[in-house]
């Protein structure tokens, strides 16, 4: 690699980019990618777990170049979902501490853009998860850029969580969500619960402000308080009780009728009130929705036993990675109606994106030949984790529209992370005047779980906890903290010396 982060050296050649083609699209370009229609707006949505490191600008820009420079030119919008973007101390203290991390991705993007310039329209984080929205023509974004967040880490803090941004681009609303779900093989049900917490808790306005006086005082506990711990909220149309097996298997997408939150005195909502609540959720019917992140779904609920056969990138191998994808938890759970309800994903043909051990030399690397000639970073899969497709991009089209996939693939391994970046590139239609729905709740786009009307208040409390934890972590685990402690020690020693007659 050799290049330092922040360098302005020439872009290195890209190698090893994995491309997944949506075989259901109508036309195929001569280079193997899908030929997109000219109508609508072209997007690139990328997700990357940064492992708390500043990205190497020339290297990441080089890898991003092939994804960015498509046959139809540059995408108009580039959206980055970034997990573990920085150490906990910086992430919890807020955006000012993350500027350098944001800037590095902006530099890499513009380095890859071959002379054209993207502008950062919005950068927003919840703890260690950030969402960056870049535009070639930011003047095409009108109105207020909306934002929302939810934390489901320890005590509701943002070591795990989701952040959302909604923009109006040439009359079409686009909703983007970046998220980082629970880790570890055995945490499947917790990941599903995290998703329900995203749907219920990530709103773009406070529900109690949108519908003032409707919900009264917050109960001491409700089931939505326990979503992050593995318990799900009741779907909108259900009012009876179910046992745990019924809850786990029950489909959640169905027409809403009444709104309930485990409290007998919670009022039923009118159709207009329910519409207003859905409009501030991520499932607004007139908005296209993209969810990208380190979703952490694995191919097993246990760690691999010694000597396990791992996925291979050799197409001729009996262990080629395509033979392992049938074990993918996200696909299984989504198709069973237990997570990512109403979301779609392009066909996955790239290899596992986690967990990589980066080696110092090509010897013993899976990609020994490519590493020896310098075209790739030497790596092997970590022996204590099943390789998995943890990093994904899913979407849900606006009511009455379709999302068109061009490319769904992964970028090469980099030294700074044990994940590969994954990107989706495609096109979404713009509104067609008379066919615009004006927020009507019709057809298939429904809320899979209740809106958590008290999530905003709990998030404010968790944010105060984050500031305390962030300050403590800054003092005890960073260079800035060491300087502060050293300064305070010197001041204390000076005061002691002065108090004990040091000037005599």
């Amino acid at each position: 690699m050799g290049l330092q982060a922040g360098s302005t050296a020439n872009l290195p050649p890209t190698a090893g980019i994995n491309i997944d083609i949506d075989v259901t699209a109508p036309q195929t370009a001569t280079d193997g990618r899908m030929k997109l229609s000219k109508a609508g707006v072209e997007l690139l949505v990328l997700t990357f777990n940064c492992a708390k490191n500043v990205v190497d600008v020339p290297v990441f820009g080089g890898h991003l170049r092939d994804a960015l420079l498509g046959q139809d030119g540059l995408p108009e919008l580039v959206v980055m979902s970034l997990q573990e973007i920085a150490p906990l101390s910086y992430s919890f203290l807020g955006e000012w501490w993350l500027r350098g991390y944001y800037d590095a991705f902006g530099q890499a993007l513009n380095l890859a853009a071959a002379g054209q310039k993207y502008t950062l329209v919005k950068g927003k984080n919840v703890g260690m998860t950030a969402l960056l929205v870049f535009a070639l023509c930011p003047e095409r974004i009108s109105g207020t850029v909306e934002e929302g967040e939810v934390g489901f880490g320890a005590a509701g803090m943002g070591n795990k969580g989701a952040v959302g941004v909604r923009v109006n681009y040439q009359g079409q609303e686009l909703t983007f969500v970046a998220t980082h779900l629970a880790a570890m093989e055995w945490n499947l049900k917790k990941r599903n619960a995290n998703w329900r917490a995203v749907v219920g808790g990530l709103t773009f306005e406070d529900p109690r402000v949108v519908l003032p006086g409707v919900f009264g005082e917050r109960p001491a506990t409700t089931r939505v308080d326990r979503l992050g711990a593995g318990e799900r909220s009741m779907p909108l149309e259900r009012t009876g009780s179910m046992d745990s097996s019924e809850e786990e298997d029950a489909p959640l997408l169905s027409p809403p009728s009444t709104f309930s939150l485990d409290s007998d005195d919670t009022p039923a909502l009118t159709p207009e009130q329910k519409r207003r609540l859905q409009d501030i959720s991520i499932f607004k019917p007139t908005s296209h929705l993209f969810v990208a992140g380190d979703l952490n779904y694995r191919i097993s609920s246990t760690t691999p036993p010694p000597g396990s056969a791992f996925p291979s990138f050799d197409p001729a191998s009996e262990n080629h990675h395509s033979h392992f994808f049938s074990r993918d938890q996200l696909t299984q759970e989504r198709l069973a109606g237990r997570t990512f309800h109403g979301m779609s994903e392009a066909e996955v043909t790239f290899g596992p994106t986690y967990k990589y051990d980066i080696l110092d030399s090509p010897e013993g690397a899976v990609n020994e030949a490519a590493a020896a000639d310098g075209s790739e970073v030497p790596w092997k899969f970590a022996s204590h984790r099943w390789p998995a497709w943890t990093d994904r991009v899913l979407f849900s089209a606006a009511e009455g529209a379709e999302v068109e996939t061009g490319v769904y693939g992964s970028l090469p391994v980099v030294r700074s992370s044990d994940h590969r970046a994954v990107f989706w590139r495609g096109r979404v239609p713009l509104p067609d005047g008379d066919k615009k729905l004006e927020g009507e709740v019709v057809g298939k786009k429904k809320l899979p779980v209740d809106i958590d009307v008290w999530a905003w208040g709990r998030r404010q409390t968790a944010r105060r906890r984050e500031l305390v934890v962030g300050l403590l972590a800054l003092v005890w685990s960073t260079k800035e903290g060491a300087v502060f402690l050293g300064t305070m020690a010197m001041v204390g020693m000076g005061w002691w010396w002065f108090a004990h007659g040091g000037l005599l």
Side-chain angles (χ1 to χ4, degrees), residues 346-365:
E347 184 186 2
V348 175
T349 59
F350 49 85
T353 60
Y354 171 86
K355 176 179 174 62
Y356 290 88
D357 279 346
I358 310 303
L359 307 180
D360 293 329
S361 68
E363 185 178 355

Side-chain angles (χ1 to χ4, degrees), residues 103-122:
D103 289 346
F105 280 100
Q107 292 168 22
L109 175 61
N110 282 317
L111 196 60
Q116 298 194 58
K117 181 175 176 58
Y118 283 92
T119 299
L120 179 62
V121 174
K122 184 66 181 179

Side-chain angles (χ1 to χ4, degrees), residues 42-44 67-70 73-78 118 136 425:
E42 190 169 354
L43 313 171
L44 187 142
L68 198 67
L69 300 178
L74 297 174
E76 295 166 69
L77 294 173
V78 174
Y118 283 92
L136 269 181
R425 181 167 179 168

Side-chain angles (χ1 to χ4, degrees), residues 15 41 85 161 190-192 199 227 260 288 365 382-383 388 455 472 484 488 500:
V41 55
I85 186 172
K190 191 170 184 179
R191 285 187 277 278
N192 291 352
V199 178
L227 278 174
S260 64
H288 301 297
S383 60
L472 291 174
F484 173 79
M488 294 303 295
H500 288 75

Side-chain angles (χ1 to χ4, degrees), residues 45-344:
V45 181
L46 176 142
T47 179
F48 181 51
N49 187 312
C50 310
K52 308 172 192 175
N53 294 312
V54 178
V55 71
D56 188 317
V57 171
V59 171
F60 198 80
H63 294 335
L64 188 58
R65 180 176 54 189
D66 278 356
L68 198 67
L69 300 178
Q71 59 184 352
D72 297 322
L74 297 174
E76 295 166 69
L77 294 173
V78 174
V79 180
M80 296 185 181
S81 166
L82 306 171
Q83 309 84 47
E84 297 187 16
I85 186 172
L88 182 143
S89 55
Y90 299 157
S91 300
F92 276 11
L93 287 177
E95 186 176 336
W96 186 88
W97 297 85
L98 300 179
R99 288 180 182 175
Y101 296 85
Y102 290 3
D103 289 346
F105 280 100
Q107 292 168 22
L109 175 61
N110 282 317
L111 196 60
Q116 298 194 58
K117 181 175 176 58
Y118 283 92
T119 299
L120 179 62
V121 174
K122 184 66 181 179
K124 170 74 175 173
N125 79 296
V126 55
M128 301 172 74
T129 301
L131 182 63
L132 308 182
V133 180
F134 296 92
L136 269 181
C137 303
E139 66 276 7
R140 295 180 180 175
I141 294 176
S142 59
T144 302
V145 176
E146 301 176 64
E147 58 187 59
E149 62 187 69
V150 63
F152 37 78
M157 292 187 290
N159 51 311
K160 291 290 191 292
V163 57
V165 168
R166 177 172 288 158
V167 299
N168 187 313
Y169 192 85
Q170 292 187 291
Q172 174 61 59
E173 285 187 317
L174 303 168
T175 302
F176 304 104
V177 175
T179 189
H180 192 184
L181 306 187
M184 301 302 173
E185 285 85 351
W186 53 87
N187 265 337
L188 174 61
K189 288 188 177 181
K190 191 170 184 179
R191 285 187 277 278
N192 291 352
N194 288 164
W195 163 247
R196 293 189 290 270
V198 172
V199 178
L202 200 166
T203 56
F204 293 96
E205 293 183 67
D206 186 345
R208 299 185 69 192
V209 174
V210 172
L211 299 179
V214 171
F215 302 106
E217 294 300 318
R218 178 175 179 262
T221 60
T222 67
R223 188 172 297 170
V224 289
D225 291 329
R226 303 188 294 273
L227 278 174
E231 188 171 341
R232 52 160 276 192
S233 174
M234 296 290 286
L236 286 169
E237 80 284 1
R238 296 182 179 269
T239 56
S241 62
M242 294 187 292
D243 63 34
S244 59
S245 62
E246 287 174 327
E247 286 196 20
E248 184 65 26
D249 296 333
L252 298 186
L253 279 174
S254 54
S257 57
T258 61
F259 185 91
S260 64
L261 280 175
D262 295 340
S263 177
D264 293 336
D265 58 357
T266 300
L269 301 182
T270 67
E272 173 61 17
Q273 289 172 326
K274 286 185 289 186
R275 184 194 67 79
R276 293 178 67 187
L277 280 179
Q278 180 158 0
D279 281 354
I280 64 172
S281 77
I282 65 173
F283 277 100
K284 185 174 184 179
T286 54
S287 176
H288 301 297
L289 168 64
F290 290 85
V291 180
D294 179 0
L295 307 184
N296 258 319
Y297 285 92
R298 311 302 174 91
I299 63 172
S300 175
S301 296
T302 60
T303 56
S308 297
F310 277 5
S312 168
F313 283 79
D314 179 3
S317 171
E318 64 178 358
N319 293 320
H320 185 253
H321 59 74
S322 60
H323 303 313
F324 287 77
F325 190 73
S326 62
R327 296 157 55 181
D328 175 61
Q329 291 177 344
L330 175 57
T331 303
Q332 293 174 350
E333 295 296 296
R334 181 174 62 85
L335 295 180
R338 291 189 288 265
T339 194
F340 282 84
H341 315 92
M343 304 295 294
S344 300

